[in-house]
């Protein structure tokens, strides 16, 4: 019912030439992946070149960040219009690295998500608990309040356009993935929390899992009822590994 979505978050990796090399190696490996949406978020400097290299394919471009203002004196920032100009279909907002390293609040994340929707770019809104929060049994409280704050003001009529990425902070870049059951438990909680503001639209919102996703753990994650895709950091830098994730289920033939 929900079309899976797998997105690459390259973070601060790859030059223009490296992004182009990735595209030529990756595209031939994912020609059979017709039942999944795929997006790649390179650094801003490689967006236009990667867009050209992916041109004509079904792979969408995504931004790693955005500033909610339309234009103005915001040194170093990138506006939603600039992302439209570069060909972005998706934009990641509220990644835990931006929350932890650059002090981004739920309120700022919500403004970004609304600004993206205003330009018809689909926001990928990230939430996730730290290890300390999990160990002190505050996971649901933390995720619930991140969702409430980061989606504040989102009109229910646009809810189906957003993607939520559940990324436990302790699993990002650590090789320590949440087990499929642990992830499903939080995904089901998120789906329930989305029902309150958005009603039936909550069933259409795709919820990605993120945190050390690899070709060898994607199938078990995707088998869970509320896991609708993945947001992939480290493994997305390698065309073989990312293709292995996009082609989830191919080895067993259980999914496409
Ligand atoms: P990882 O990163 O796959 O390297 O753990 C995921 C993310 O931060 O989106």
């Amino acid at each position: 019912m929900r079309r899976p979505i797998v997105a690459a978050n390259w973070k601060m990796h790859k030059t223009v030439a490296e992004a182009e090399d990735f595209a030529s190696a990756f595209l031939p490996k994912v020609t059979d992946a017709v039942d999944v949406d795929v997006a790649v978020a390179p650094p801003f400097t490689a967006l236009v070149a990667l867009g050209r290299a992916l041109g004509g394919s079904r792979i969408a471009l995504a931004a790693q960040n955005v500033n909610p203002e339309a234009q103005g004196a915001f040194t170093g920032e990138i506006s939603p219009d600039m992302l439209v100009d570069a060909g972005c279909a998706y934009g990641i907002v509220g990644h835990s690295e931006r929350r932890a390293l650059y002090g981004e609040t739920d309120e700022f994340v919500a403004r970004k998500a609304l600004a993206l929707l205003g330009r018809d770019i689909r926001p990928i809104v990230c939430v996730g608990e730290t290890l300390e929060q999990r160990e002190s049994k505050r996971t649901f409280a933390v995720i619930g309040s991140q969702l409430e704050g980061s989606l504040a003001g989102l009109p229910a009529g646009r809810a189906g356009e957003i993607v939520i990425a559940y990324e436990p902070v302790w699993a990002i870049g650590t090789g320590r993935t949440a087990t499929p059951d642990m992830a499903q438990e939080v995904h089901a909680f998120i789906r329930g929390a989305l029902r309150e503001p958005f009603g039936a639209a909550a069933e259409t919102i795709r919820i990605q899992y993120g945190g050390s996703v690899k070709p060898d753990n994607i199938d078990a994650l995707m088998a869970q009822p509320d896991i609708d895709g993945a947001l992939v950091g480290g493994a997305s830098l390698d065309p073989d590994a990312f293709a292995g994730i996009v082609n989830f289920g191919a080895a067993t033939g259980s999914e496409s």
Side-chain angles (χ1 to χ4, degrees):
M1 150 179 91
R2 290 180 294 270
R3 190 175 159 80
I5 173 165
V6 176
N9 174 13
W10 283 356
K11 309 189 180 183
M12 201 168 71
H13 295 283
K14 292 197 194 289
T15 61
V16 166
E18 287 164 349
E20 289 168 341
D21 286 350
F22 175 95
S24 32
F26 176 68
L27 286 175
K29 297 180 200 297
V30 292
T31 47
D32 291 340
V34 290
D35 294 327
V36 53
D37 287 340
V38 183
V40 180
F44 290 125
T45 47
L47 274 172
V48 171
L50 183 65
R52 278 196 198 112
L54 296 172
S57 76
R58 298 170 28 263
I59 316 300
L61 270 189
Q64 294 181 20
N65 187 23
V66 67
N67 188 287
E69 299 294 337
Q71 59 183 26
F74 302 102
T75 301
E77 294 295 295
I78 304 281
S79 74
D81 264 344
M82 293 169 186
L83 299 181
V84 171
D85 199 29
C88 290
Y90 297 90
I92 300 171
V93 294
H95 190 279
S96 65
E97 286 151 18
R98 297 218 57 92
R99 291 176 185 266
L101 303 173
Y102 304 103
E104 294 196 0
T105 60
D106 290 329
E107 191 214 342
F108 196 38
V109 174
R111 285 178 56 211
K112 291 176 185 217
L114 288 175
L116 287 177
L117 277 177
R119 301 300 293 126
D120 290 327
I121 297 175
R122 293 169 177 246
I124 299 176
V125 181
C126 304
V127 295
E129 82 287 2
T130 63
L131 187 58
E132 189 256 316
Q133 289 164 337
R134 174 164 281 268
E135 286 177 343
S136 58
K137 309 222 177 310
R138 284 185 290 141
T139 298
F140 293 155
V142 168
I143 305 282
S145 105
Q146 285 177 339
L147 283 173
E148 196 181 338
S150 305
L151 300 177
L154 185 84
R158 308 284 313 259
E161 293 169 60
I162 62 167
V163 175
I164 304 289
Y166 167 57
E167 300 202 300
V169 176
W170 46 271
I172 295 178
T174 57
R176 200 180 152 189
T177 334
T179 64
D181 287 346
M182 277 162 92
Q184 166 59 27
E185 186 185 28
V186 180
H187 281 233
F189 169 81
I190 292 172
R191 179 109 35 226
L194 294 172
R195 277 185 198 119
E196 209 173 297
F198 304 132
E203 311 310 320
T204 67
I205 298 175
R206 290 160 319 162
I207 308 175
Q208 298 176 310
Y209 169 78
S212 299
V213 174
K214 306 259 167 359
D216 63 8
N217 59 26
I218 185 70
D219 286 358
L221 289 162
M222 290 305 293
Q224 299 296 323
D226 287 295
I227 300 185
D228 308 314
L231 182 56
V232 189
S236 75
L237 297 171
D238 175 62
D240 283 313
F242 190 52
I245 295 168
V246 167
N247 292 319
F248 67 88
T252 57
S254 60
E255 313 233 17
S256 66

